């Protein structure tokens, strides 16, 4: 049986799918005993029928609607369409949706040429009644027929006073606008008026009324309530309050109140009206506290005061600034409204800013998370930021970014293009102190925390100018010289010769996948020397250094073994007796599908494995990475494994790493704070999932 109409006092919060978010929220307020204007919701089921316009359902729905309206008539002692005591309604969409109609409420539905005079007599204010009629006509024309509001404004011009003659003229003009646009006249029959408005709100978009009703797949619920008047009469007003400050999250109610006389109050003015209306302000304070406790969220409450009586029009979770979000999350946990675990799960990356409350959340997160959060570093200042934000070390020190900077790239190229081994060695000696200085500073920042240095080994083609391009430039210069241009070609010719000679001496260098270390393995020795010289200097300064040298795997495990032996030799030469104070480790960076598939061979020689996050972006990447981790730990059960994310981490990154049993995630330094919280969230989510599985098992067994 179709549920077509639900009175607010008969609804529940669980009926949100049927009543819409607004109707369900108001029903909840009614159930809790808060003063809410009487009303009912046209359900999604009936709105869908209503739009289909079948004779049977239309007739049945009209009867249900009439009974609901009659309930409101009995409650108020008025009658819908009565010339002396007219029942007037406020109608709006009951769903919170994007678009202008979401914020539109058609007020005083039921006004026509006759009932407007009845309203005028009841409130003893005819200009106000006429203006209500004028506004209804304008909004009806826009909602039902899609006539832009500006069309009505242009016909009337600016209205600065509620002069009866001016308002009567405006009403006549607005009626003409609707008919001049080719639409039926504004309904004087209040039942038809209500039906047209319900139908328009069900479509949820003023532009949809021009489409055939059969093209609408879904009818939106419509909320209908008795009009309460906060704009005319003694002790009347309206406003919005927040249970906490929406900008800062500070405790206490804040908001704006507008009396019908038009005098406005600022954010502190709620306290000013406490003296005039202590009971009403007390009710608002009580409502804000209770609704906040029930919903465990800062509440935005819209209210109307009519003749000294308070009505709540809407209560919903407030939109807050990131600062306010973080503060209220922590305050709610400290006040016992939510648990610390619930607090952590509420944090989103967009809310994470440096505040004292965030530090509290981070401490809670560190107590929960079981994945170490490391940071990427391309410069010593990245290490400083990482420590400030609470990183537990550096997960990858990008030596390629350090040595390929604009100021250092010429030295790298000069070393690569050296004509003799002596010149190349001299070039490496120039690069060594540059790298050593950077590593020293990072060790100093990370005193006691691990620092993973990825050995510089870029693709060879990135370090050399393209020969064909050089030849084209050379030919162009020769042509220019023939025309009398004074151009020195000596350096360009020398460059072409050097590159050609290099390719002849090292044919492998022409291959696209060739890397620097393949052609000049001594680049590894230089970097190891820079790392251990930096470590030695820091050790002698009383610092604790924990170097972790990361080698990019591109071949079988024997390749890593050769590099490992080289690193051990350099460590012995540089550190000497101080080697006992420098517990370094050597790991392998796994990038690409091929290396992930052969990771078992590499794991034998590695102290740890770092997987590049780009593997996850491959087709079947998650399964590939999972298989690689399993294969590696079959060889070494306690092998330390982590993920290195170059650009961005989110909760899904940590839920995946949590499931895989990874030990650490390395992320950009600016993301460290959220990463610590996301790591804790991943643990909590896993616990909830395990709990659900256990409950299902118990239920199945029972």
């Amino acid at each position: 049986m179709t549920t077509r109409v639900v009175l607010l006092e008969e609804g529940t919060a669980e009926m949100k799918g049927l009543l819409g978010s607004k109707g369900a929220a108001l029903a909840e307020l009614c159930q809790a005993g808060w003063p809410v204007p009487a009303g009912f919701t046209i359900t999604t089921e009936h709105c869908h029928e209503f739009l289909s316009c079948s004779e049977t359902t239309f007739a049945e729905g009209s009867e249900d609607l009439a009974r609901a309206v009659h309930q409101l008539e009995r409650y108020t002692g008025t009658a819908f369409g009565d010339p002396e005591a007219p029942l007037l309604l406020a109608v709006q969409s009951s769903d919170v949706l994007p678009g202008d109609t979401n914020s539109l409420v058609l007020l005083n539905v039921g006004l026509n040429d006759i009932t407007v005079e009845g309203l005028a007599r009841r409130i003893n204010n005819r200009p106000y009644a006429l203006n209500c009629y004028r506004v209804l006509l304008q909004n009806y024309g826009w909602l039902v027929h899609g006539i832009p509001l500006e069309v009505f404004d242009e016909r009337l011009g600016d209205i600065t006073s509620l002069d009866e003659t001016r308002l009567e003229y405006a009403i006549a003009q607005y009626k003409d606008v609707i008919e001049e646009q080719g639409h039926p006249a504004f309904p004087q029959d209040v039942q038809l008026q209500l039906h047209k408005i319900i139908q328009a709100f069900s479509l949820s978009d003023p532009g949809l009324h021009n489409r055939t009703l059969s093209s609408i797949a879904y009818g939106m619920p419509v909320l209908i309530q008795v009009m309460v008047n906060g704009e005319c009469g003694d002790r009347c007003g309206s406003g919005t309050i927040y249970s906490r400050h929406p900008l800062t999250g500070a405790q206490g109610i804040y908001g704006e109140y507008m009396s019908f006389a038009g005098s406005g109050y600022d954010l502190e003015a709620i306290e000013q009206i406490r003296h005039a209306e202590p009971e009403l302000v007390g009710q608002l304070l009580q409502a804000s506290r209770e609704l906040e406790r029930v919903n465990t969220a800062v509440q935005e409450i819209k209210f109307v005061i009519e003749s000294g009586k308070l009505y709540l029009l809407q209560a919903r979770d407030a939109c807050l600034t990131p600062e306010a979000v973080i503060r209220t999350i922590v305050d709610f946990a400290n006040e016992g409204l939510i648990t610390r675990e619930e607090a952590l799960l509420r944090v989103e990356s967009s809310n994470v800013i440096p505040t004292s409350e965030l530090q509290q959340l981070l401490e809670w997160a560190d107590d929960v998370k079981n994945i170490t959060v490391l940071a990427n570093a391309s410069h010593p200042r990245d290490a400083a930021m990482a420590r400030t934000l609470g990183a537990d070390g550096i997960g990858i020190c990008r030596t390629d970014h350090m040595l390929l900077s604009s100021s250092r790239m010429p030295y790298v190229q000069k070393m690569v293009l050296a004509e003799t081994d002596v010149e190349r060695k001299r070039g490496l000696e120039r690069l060594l102190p540059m790298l050593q200085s950077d590593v020293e500073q990072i060790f100093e920042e990370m005193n006691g925390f691990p620092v993973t240095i990825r050995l510089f080994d870029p693709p060879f083609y990135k370090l050399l100018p393209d020969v064909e391009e050089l030849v084209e430039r050379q030919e162009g210069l020769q042509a220019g010289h023939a025309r009398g241009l004074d151009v020195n070609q000596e350096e360009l010719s020398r460059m072409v010769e050097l590159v050609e000679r290099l390719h002849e001496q090292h044919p492998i260098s022409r291959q696209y996948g060739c890397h620097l270390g393949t052609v000049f393995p001594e680049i590894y020795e230089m970097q190891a020397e820079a790392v251990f010289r930096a470590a030695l200097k820091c050790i002698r300064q009383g610092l604790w250094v924990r170097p972790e040298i990361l080698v990019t795997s591109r071949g079988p495990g024997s390749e890593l073994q050769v590099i490992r032996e080289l690193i051990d030799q350099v460590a012995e030469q540089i550190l000497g007796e101080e080697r006992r104070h420098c517990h370094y480790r050597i790991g392998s960076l796994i990038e690409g599908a091929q290396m992930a598939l052969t990771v078992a061979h590499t794991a034998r020689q590695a102290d740890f494995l770092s997987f590049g996050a780009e593997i996850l972006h491959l087709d079947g990447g998650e399964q590939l990475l999972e298989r690689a981790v399993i294969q590696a730990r079959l060889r070494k059960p306690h092998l330390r494994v982590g993920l290195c994310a170059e650009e961005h981490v989110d909760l899904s990154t940590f839920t995946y790493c949590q499931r895989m049993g990874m030990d650490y995630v390395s992320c950009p330094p600016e993301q460290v704070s959220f990463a610590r919280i996301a790591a804790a969230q991943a643990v909590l989510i896993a616990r909830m999932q395990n709990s659900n599985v256990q409950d299902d098992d118990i239920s199945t067994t029972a």
Side-chain angles (χ1 to χ4, degrees):
M1 180 178 178
T2 302
T3 303
R4 296 185 173 90
V5 177
V6 177
L7 296 174
L8 289 180
E9 60 265 29
E10 296 174 353
T12 65
E14 290 72 26
M15 298 170 70
K16 184 176 180 179
L18 190 66
L19 306 182
S21 55
K22 294 179 184 176
L26 287 175
E28 186 177 19
L29 290 176
C30 282
Q31 292 290 338
W34 298 109
V36 173
F40 57 88
T41 302
I42 308 293
T43 67
T44 53
E45 292 180 359
H46 180 39
C47 285
H48 186 71
E49 288 183 342
F50 194 87
L51 293 175
S52 68
C53 289
S54 76
E55 293 184 6
T56 302
T57 57
F58 186 84
E60 293 174 352
S62 295
E63 292 175 2
D64 290 346
L65 178 61
R67 281 193 290 270
V69 171
H70 184 57
Q71 285 279 86
L72 300 185
E73 291 175 331
R74 289 195 299 176
Y75 176 80
T76 60
T78 60
F80 197 45
D82 185 83
E84 295 300 325
L87 170 67
L88 301 178
L89 304 173
V91 185
Q92 60 181 311
S93 170
S94 189
D95 257 332
V96 177
L97 298 170
D100 291 337
T101 50
N102 181 47
S103 60
L104 177 67
V105 182
L106 249 64
L107 304 178
N108 297 296
V109 173
L111 284 179
N112 58 21
D113 293 348
I114 296 175
T115 58
V116 68
E117 301 299 342
L119 173 64
R121 288 189 290 271
R122 282 176 67 90
I123 64 175
N124 194 31
N125 191 333
R126 189 167 185 265
Y128 177 79
L130 291 173
N131 193 54
C132 290
Y133 191 19
R134 176 191 70 84
V135 174
L136 173 63
L137 285 166
Q138 184 177 28
N139 287 334
Y140 177 93
W142 177 71
L143 177 75
V144 177
H145 300 304
I147 304 172
L149 300 176
E150 296 78 14
V151 174
F152 294 94
D153 294 335
E154 290 169 1
R155 184 65 61 93
L156 175 66
D158 183 34
I159 181 167
T160 56
S161 63
L162 297 178
D163 176 80
E164 290 186 40
T165 302
R166 182 77 167 157
L167 289 167
E168 288 172 347
Y169 172 78
I171 289 170
Q173 286 292 304
Y174 283 13
K175 291 179 185 176
D176 289 344
V177 167
I178 293 174
E179 295 187 53
E180 288 170 6
Q181 294 284 327
H183 303 293
F186 175 78
Q188 294 297 311
D189 181 340
V190 294
Q191 300 291 346
L192 178 60
Q193 186 185 122
L194 180 59
H195 276 77
K196 290 289 187 183
I197 292 170
I198 292 172
Q199 184 181 72
F201 270 118
S202 295
L203 300 180
S204 301
D205 187 327
L208 291 178
H209 63 273
N210 291 322
R211 290 163 53 182
T212 59
L213 295 178
S214 60
S215 68
I216 307 300
Y218 186 70
M220 297 293 128
V222 179
L223 176 63
I224 299 174
Q225 293 177 275
V226 172
M227 273 294 304
V228 287
N229 189 347
E231 297 181 350
C232 183
D234 295 332
R235 299 180 65 197
C236 290
S238 62
T240 300
I241 64 165
Y242 297 86
S243 58
R244 305 193 187 210
H245 202 297
L247 299 181
T248 66
Q251 294 182 351
I253 61 171
Y254 299 82
E256 298 174 314
Y257 178 79
M258 182 75 72
S259 70
F260 93 93
S263 58
Y265 296 85
D266 57 18
L267 290 177
E268 289 74 36
I270 292 295
E271 290 300 318
Q272 294 181 17
I273 67 169
R274 185 189 293 272
H275 303 291
E277 299 285 359
E279 184 178 348
L280 292 176
V281 173
Q283 283 182 279
L284 281 171
L285 183 60
Q286 182 184 0
S288 68
R289 288 174 175 171
E290 180 63 22
L291 291 172
E292 185 179 82
R293 184 189 66 80
V294 171
N295 296 293
T296 63
V298 178
Q299 296 295 292
E300 176 189 1
I301 302 172
K302 295 184 183 298
F303 66 94
V304 166
I305 297 175
E306 182 183 54
S307 300
K309 184 175 181 181
L310 174 68
Y311 293 94
L312 304 186
L313 301 183
Q314 186 181 61
R316 63 181 181 183
D317 295 351
C319 292
L320 307 176
T321 64
E323 178 185 354
V325 169
I326 294 298
R327 178 170 180 173
T328 55
I329 286 175
V330 173
D331 285 349
F332 281 175
N334 289 333
E335 293 166 21
L337 296 179
I338 59 176
T339 65
R340 290 183 177 183
E341 291 76 12
E342 290 171 326
L344 288 170
L345 288 170
R346 290 188 178 196
V347 181
E348 299 178 2
S349 59
S350 59
N351 301 137
V352 176
I353 59 173
T355 64
S356 58
E357 288 79 17
L358 178 63
Q359 294 307 312
Q360 179 68 79
L361 280 167
L362 291 172
E363 290 177 12
W364 295 346
D366 290 342
D367 291 338
V368 174
K369 68 180 177 68
N370 55 19
I371 293 177
T372 302
V373 174
L374 306 177
N376 308 338
S378 298
H379 192 278
R381 61 173 171 268
D382 293 335
M385 177 190 293
R387 277 304 303 139
T388 299
L389 297 179
D392 293 319
I394 298 298
I396 184 167
C397 183
R398 298 294 305 270
T399 51
D400 54 336
H401 289 183
M402 296 174 178
L403 294 177
L404 295 182
S405 64
S406 58
S407 61
R408 294 176 177 177
M409 180 68 164
Y411 293 97
V412 175
Q413 286 185 324
K414 191 170 184 179
M415 179 272 296
V416 170
L417 293 173
E419 298 186 58
T420 66
D421 292 341
V422 174
E423 288 183 10
R424 183 165 296 110
K425 183 178 180 180
R426 191 176 297 120
L428 290 169
E429 290 172 349
R430 291 193 187 99
L431 292 172
L432 189 149
M434 300 177 189
L435 182 58
Q436 178 182 336
S437 174
D438 288 344
V439 175
E440 276 179 23
Q441 294 178 64
I442 294 174
F443 280 154
E444 290 169 0
E445 293 289 349
M446 288 289 148
N447 181 19
F449 292 91
V451 175
T452 305
I453 302 104
R454 179 184 181 180
L455 293 187
F456 177 66
D457 189 20
F460 202 72
Y461 74 91
K462 288 189 175 182
L463 303 177
L464 298 177
D466 184 84
V467 175
E468 294 181 359
E469 183 180 330
L470 290 175
V471 171
E472 288 180 7
R473 287 174 56 195
Q474 189 178 35
E475 292 174 351
L477 289 176
Q478 289 173 347
H481 184 69
R483 292 194 297 269
L485 299 177
D486 185 14
V487 179
N488 188 346
Q489 301 184 67
E490 183 178 343
E491 183 61 29
L492 184 58
S493 299
R494 178 177 175 276
M495 185 70 70
V496 172
E497 182 181 347
L498 287 175
V499 174
E500 289 288 2
R501 184 188 306 166
L502 182 62
H503 287 321
E504 289 175 5
Q505 293 174 348
H506 305 279
I508 195 174
S509 64
R510 288 185 179 272
Q511 297 181 13
Y512 182 78
C514 176
H515 284 253
L516 177 61
T518 306
V519 182
F520 303 127
E522 55 265 41
I523 190 71
Y524 295 137
E525 184 177 359
M526 180 276 290
Q527 294 177 83
E529 185 175 348
V531 169
F532 291 125
R533 286 189 181 279
L536 181 62
K537 185 173 181 179
C538 291
I539 289 170
R540 289 174 175 172
Q541 291 174 353
L543 302 177
W544 181 22
V545 295
R546 295 175 58 189
E548 300 198 345
I549 299 175
L550 188 62
V551 180
T552 305
S553 292
R554 298 193 178 92
S558 57
E559 178 192 32
L560 179 59
Q561 179 62 25
V562 171
I563 298 175
R564 185 182 192 108
E565 291 173 358
L566 173 64
I567 293 171
D568 288 341
Q569 291 172 7
V570 175
E572 185 65 35
Q573 293 170 4
I574 302 299
L575 296 174
E577 294 183 358
E578 298 292 354
R579 186 174 179 181
R580 66 183 185 276
H581 298 302
C582 182
H583 299 289
Y584 64 89
R585 299 195 299 178
I586 300 172
S588 182
L589 178 62
I590 309 299
E591 295 179 312
Q594 183 60 38
M595 292 313 304
L597 290 171
T598 59
V599 71
H601 302 290
T602 306
R604 293 190 180 96
Q605 305 299 331
D607 298 325
F608 66 96
L609 295 180
S610 180
F611 289 90
E614 62 272 13
I615 294 178
L616 291 175
H617 302 310
L618 301 174
D619 289 338
E622 290 191 3
Q623 293 77 11
L624 176 64
L625 185 50
E626 179 178 2
R627 179 182 180 278
V629 172
I630 292 172
Q631 291 297 316
R633 283 186 168 154
L634 283 174
R635 301 301 186 276
K636 284 187 176 179
H638 301 294
L639 184 68
R640 188 164 173 260
V641 175
L643 185 75
C644 183
E646 293 289 337
E647 296 179 357
H648 179 70
V649 293
D650 54 22
L651 177 56
S652 65
T653 306
F654 284 91
T655 54
Y656 176 80
C657 292
Q658 179 75 26
R659 191 168 71 249
M660 290 298 98
M662 289 192 171
D663 300 289
Y664 68 88
V665 170
S666 187
C667 65
E670 63 273 10
Q671 296 184 35
V672 165
S673 292
F674 175 68
R676 291 165 64 187
I677 292 174
Q681 291 174 335
V683 173
L684 298 173
I685 290 171
R687 288 178 185 173
M688 291 188 294
Q689 291 172 341
N690 291 336
S691 176
N692 291 338
V693 169
Q694 292 174 0
D695 290 344
D696 289 343
D697 290 344
I698 293 172
S699 176
T700 302
T701 303

